[in-house]
Amino acid sequence: MESNDILRRHGEAIDLFGDRVHTVRDDQWDAPTPCADWTVRDLVNHLTAEQLWVPRLVRDGATMEEVGDEFDGDVLGDDPVATWDRAAVAAVAAFTEPGALDREVHLSYGTSGAAPYCSQMTMDAVVHAWDLSRAIGASEELPGELVGQALREVEPYAKELSSSGLFAPAIEPPPGADDLTRLLCLLGRRP
């Protein structure tokens, strides 16, 4: 994908997840999600922490060791929605800086280009937008172009994700399944 397409998709995925965060009611933060053992708050905390990592890794060129446990635990504080908004804006800004996607980033599994990292972050935001939608009773329909990009992103390494324990084992999708169903099944969700 071209850099502009990667950035556009990332921004759309962040907006999609953010829209869902803004619809979480006060009584839903402790609700279960399709992610085993995660509440809505845990899920939003996970995505928020991921966004907090982006400026440190992409803009600052920090290593995992340099960041350390800075974003471990509860990063949401007393205002989860505002914290998400700030983290999302900072992540998008870091990825959209001139030349940012041409940089190398130091991730838990080694050094990678920032463009593939951005694509992975897009996929994660799309899948977790579905998780959050299901948990809070919002529309589970997701934009087809985002879903297609997320599916293309994760297909080559989905088996590695399952064996890592980061995602549940894949589920066989029904015959003729659409891209969203295939994506969710690939990552162990039951649509």
Side-chain angles (χ1 to χ4, degrees):
M1 283 177 66
E2 297 289 324
S3 292
N4 288 341
D5 294 331
I6 292 170
L7 293 173
R8 186 177 73 252
R9 293 282 181 256
H10 177 259
E12 291 169 353
I14 294 300
D15 287 347
L16 176 68
F17 189 81
D19 286 346
R20 298 309 194 266
V21 170
H22 279 264
T23 64
V24 176
R25 295 187 321 259
D26 289 342
D27 64 339
Q28 293 180 313
W29 288 102
D30 291 326
T33 69
C35 302
D37 302 322
W38 275 3
T39 65
V40 166
R41 185 178 178 93
D42 296 330
L43 176 63
V44 174
N45 187 71
H46 165 71
L47 258 289
T48 302
E50 282 194 342
Q51 304 321 304
L52 292 170
W53 275 91
V54 173
R56 297 286 284 124
L57 298 177
V58 175
R59 185 193 61 223
D60 302 344
T63 64
M64 301 296 285
E65 294 77 24
E66 290 170 334
V67 177
D69 62 1
E70 186 176 343
F71 305 121
D72 288 357
D74 181 8
V75 299
L76 294 178
D78 294 334
D79 192 346
V81 175
T83 303
W84 159 261
D85 287 343
R86 284 190 301 274
V89 166
V92 169
F95 275 130
T96 58
E97 285 180 2
L101 292 186
D102 297 325
R103 299 177 188 151
E104 297 287 313
V105 291
H106 308 284
L107 304 173
S108 60
Y109 56 83
T111 302
S112 172
Y117 174 47
C118 187
S119 291
Q120 292 165 11
M121 294 287 284
T122 300
M123 179 276 300
D124 205 44
V126 170
V127 171
H128 287 316
W130 181 86
D131 292 331
L132 185 54
S133 297
R134 169 130 321 167
I136 64 172
S139 172
E140 295 176 17
E141 189 173 320
L142 304 179
E145 290 182 359
L146 275 179
V147 170
Q149 190 274 330
L151 181 60
R152 287 187 301 279
E153 170 61 34
V154 77
E155 279 178 320
Y157 57 84
K159 287 182 184 175
E160 295 168 27
L161 290 176
S162 178
S163 65
S164 72
L166 296 174
F167 289 90
I171 298 166
E172 186 66 33
D178 62 15
D179 282 353
L180 179 58
T181 301
R182 290 176 43 226
L183 173 67
L184 296 172
C185 288
L186 192 60
L187 296 174
R189 271 91 171 145
R190 296 190 183 279

